[in-house]
Amino acid sequence: MRLQANPFFIILFILFAGSNVFSQSVTTPQLSPKAEVSQTIGISKITVNYSRPSVKGRKIWGELVPYGWNVQATGYGNPAPWRAGANENTTITFSHDAKVEGIKIPTGTYGLFIAVSQDNSSELIISKNSKSWGSFFYNPAEDQMRAKIQERDITFIELLTYDFINVTKNNAELVLNWEKKQFLIKIEFAVNEIVMANAKEELRGQPGFSADAYITAAFYSFQNNIETEQAMKWIDQALELEPTNFEALYVKSRLLVRKGKAEEAEQIMADALGKCSESEITSYGNQLVGLGIKDRAIKVFTTGTVRFPNSATIWDSLGETYFMKGDKDNAIKCFKKSLSLNPAPNVKTNSEKYLKQLGAF
């Protein structure tokens, strides 16, 4: 007699027999979506990776996010701060050494935690461990730093959000906004020192065969008045590669002026002006105007009108510089000369604008 197979048991057999297949996970969306926010300060980058929980009508502070330090679940050891997000560690990465709330932090990736306080005196914790899930495996022995941070009240935000505000040359504030709270974290880089150290390293590679690379590094040094002796070495290297490079000669002249060698600087630029292009004369004159050296700019533009008498751009620039000096008669002559040379539309518009202001159009 042949037994009839029970369909229910056949199904169970298939399920269990294939359990090694069905136990494999697939990628599905997380309830708190992942996000990333970055900010560049100087040439340094800060990146925060986090997951974004929603309020969903829940009470956040003191309940969903307990105040202070708490054991996350039975069997998971140390009291821990809030993970400052959801799911795995919120992480913060610094491409160069930084200061966070005035405390030095080496280059690297760290776990970011906040112990939220009921009295608005919350504490930031940056941990050397950036690989864990949430706060379950938090270990205070791995702390890189702790610091009190500022909190303030904000309008309601449903989805937890990190952002950067008050960005300056050297600083920024990283803010965490959620529900009606904002947590502020002050971050700072020694930008000039980082840029100079990076330039020295890069100039040992392929950029070290380019005059432009040395000029860029030397000009940054000049602009920020740092390591000017190093800048002079760089600009001399640029001139070894390209002896008549106008930009290099200009930077060298400015460095010489800063060292009190104005006559030598003047001679360098006088020689350079006899060889440079129309656009280089215009650029150099405008840089002098920007530095407030208008008399010298007038000499440069005047030299330009001799070398390039049909340049409407140089005549327009000379007229504008005379206007700034208050020399209306010469300004009018220059603008009219510019218009007589069939200038480009933008130059024509500029000359006409000033002539109207001077009542001569």
Side-chain angles (χ1 to χ4, degrees):
M1 178 177 176
R2 197 171 175 182
L3 295 175
Q4 184 72 31
N6 188 321
F8 175 76
F9 288 106
I10 292 174
I11 292 170
L12 281 181
F13 173 80
I14 292 171
L15 286 175
F16 283 108
S19 63
N20 63 324
V21 175
F22 290 113
S23 66
Q24 302 300 309
S25 62
V26 297
T27 302
T28 57
Q30 295 182 343
L31 293 176
S32 300
K34 288 180 176 292
E36 180 179 293
V37 61
S38 297
Q39 179 64 51
T40 298
I41 300 174
I43 61 170
S44 302
K45 189 175 182 181
I46 313 162
T47 303
V48 178
N49 283 279
Y50 65 108
S51 295
R52 307 181 67 188
S54 299
V55 175
K56 295 180 179 177
R58 298 173 292 184
K59 183 176 180 183
I60 302 301
W61 311 115
E63 290 193 9
L64 184 65
V65 176
Y67 291 123
W69 301 67
N70 300 271
V71 174
Q72 301 298 295
T74 303
Y76 288 96
N78 297 314
W82 175 44
R83 71 187 80 178
N87 302 330
E88 62 265 48
N89 275 174
T90 296
T91 65
I92 185 166
T93 301
F94 304 99
S95 65
H96 295 88
D97 293 353
K99 283 187 177 180
V100 178
E101 294 293 331
I103 301 171
K104 290 182 179 180
I105 301 290
T107 303
T109 298
Y110 300 87
L112 192 156
F113 302 87
I114 296 175
V116 181
S117 173
Q118 194 167 4
D119 63 1
N120 294 326
S121 61
S122 295
E123 188 173 29
L124 169 71
I125 299 95
I126 290 184
S127 171
K128 297 171 190 174
N129 179 6
S130 62
K131 305 290 186 182
S132 295
W133 182 271
S135 300
F136 293 98
F137 301 97
Y138 169 79
N139 184 345
E142 296 172 324
D143 287 355
Q144 178 68 39
M145 63 154 286
R146 293 188 188 182
K148 295 291 184 182
I149 56 173
Q150 183 183 351
E151 288 180 35
R152 58 188 176 203
D153 296 331
I154 57 172
T155 56
F156 180 84
I157 291 181
E158 172 69 22
L159 201 62
L160 186 150
T161 302
Y162 280 91
D163 197 5
F164 290 93
I165 62 172
N166 299 326
V167 179
T168 67
K169 176 186 173 182
N170 296 292
N171 308 280
E173 288 181 329
L174 171 64
V175 292
L176 187 164
N177 301 311
W178 198 29
E179 200 251 3
K180 293 185 178 181
K181 276 187 181 290
Q182 181 179 77
F183 302 87
L184 294 94
I185 302 168
K186 297 176 183 177
I187 301 173
E188 176 183 1
F189 290 95
V191 171
N192 284 343
E193 289 82 352
I194 290 169
V195 171
M196 293 297 285
N198 183 72
K200 292 170 187 174
E201 192 63 29
E202 287 188 341
L203 287 169
R204 297 175 64 188
Q206 188 172 353
F209 297 96
S210 164
D212 286 344
Y214 288 104
I215 295 166
T216 300
F219 189 61
Y220 184 89
S221 172
F222 166 72
Q223 280 184 310
N224 293 278
N225 199 20
I226 52 171
E227 295 194 46
T228 51
E229 291 303 320
Q230 177 64 68
M232 187 63 80
K233 292 177 183 177
W234 281 335
I235 213 62
D236 285 339
Q237 182 64 41
L239 288 167
E240 280 189 29
L241 293 168
E242 295 183 17
T244 61
N245 186 297
F246 186 81
E247 290 184 357
L249 291 167
Y250 169 71
V251 174
K252 182 162 186 174
S253 74
R254 302 314 307 158
L255 288 166
L256 287 169
V257 168
R258 186 162 287 169
K259 292 180 72 174
K261 298 181 178 181
E263 290 185 9
E264 186 178 347
E266 185 80 13
Q267 186 58 54
I268 285 175
M269 291 314 299
D271 293 341
L273 285 171
K275 304 170 185 175
C276 66
S277 68
E278 176 186 346
S279 62
E280 286 171 337
I281 285 181
T282 305
S283 176
Y284 177 43
N286 287 332
Q287 287 174 8
L288 291 170
V289 171
L291 292 169
I293 313 172
K294 297 184 182 68
D295 288 334
R296 177 63 184 150
I298 287 171
K299 289 181 181 179
V300 168
F301 288 131
T302 300
T303 299
T305 63
V306 174
R307 290 197 58 216
F308 304 98
N310 295 319
S311 170
T313 300
I314 293 178
W315 282 105
D316 177 75
S317 297
L318 179 57
E320 193 168 336
T321 311
Y322 274 129
F323 178 86
M324 293 177 184
K325 286 279 293 178
D327 187 339
K328 295 182 179 180
D329 291 339
N330 276 318
I332 290 170
K333 290 177 184 177
C334 292
F335 289 129
K336 287 185 174 180
K337 180 66 175 177
S338 173
L339 290 174
S340 74
L341 295 169
N342 190 28
N346 63 316
V347 177
K348 180 181 179 182
T349 299
N350 194 64
S351 291
E352 289 176 348
K353 178 188 76 174
Y354 279 104
L355 285 174
K356 287 175 183 178
Q357 290 183 41
L358 292 163
F361 185 77

